[in-house]
Amino acid sequence: QVQLVESGGGLVQSGGSLRLSCAASGFTFASYAMNWIRQAPGKGFEWVSGINNDGATNYTDSVKGRFTISRDNAKNILYLQMNALNAEDTAVYFCAKSPGPKTTIVGEIQRLVMDYRGQGTQVTVSS
């Protein structure tokens, strides 16, 4: 069965960096787009970034230039390098699998089309 296990979250000061990892199993990782989404306290899910099976990347505007998504298809691991973190980045971060080779975002609220997600890892940025 599909399993997605995130790690790397923690407490960091504003301006600091963290790298999240997501270990994937139970499917052919290299064939699918993968994504990071987040949920801040009291808010809904927000799509953060996606990487297609061909390596093309996309980001929501608020993280462009600060976050970098990458993947290691040999190890079945998805990464998110987060730099210049601020308090608005505080959230639970989830890795999410797309049902196809490309990330699909729907509507003005940028809702991600996904079929599986992990349990999440907490990122807290102190100001």
Side-chain angles (χ1 to χ4, degrees), residues 14-86:
S14 182
S17 299
L18 282 174
R19 188 175 83 154
L20 306 183
S21 299
C22 171
S25 61
F27 64 103
T28 306
F29 181 75
S31 296
Y32 295 90
M34 296 295 297
N35 307 271
W36 289 98
I37 60 176
R38 66 187 179 185
Q39 186 174 33
K43 296 188 177 181
F45 289 103
E46 177 189 23
W47 172 76
V48 175
S49 180
I51 183 167
N52 294 342
N53 71 332
D54 64 359
T57 59
N58 290 283
Y59 301 90
T60 194
D61 286 347
S62 64
V63 308
K64 284 180 181 176
R66 300 189 298 122
F67 290 11
T68 303
I69 190 171
S70 61
R71 63 191 299 163
D72 185 333
N73 289 336
K75 296 181 179 179
N76 290 356
I77 299 178
L78 177 72
Y79 300 101
L80 186 68
Q81 177 66 44
M82 305 186 295
N83 299 328
L85 286 160
N86 57 60

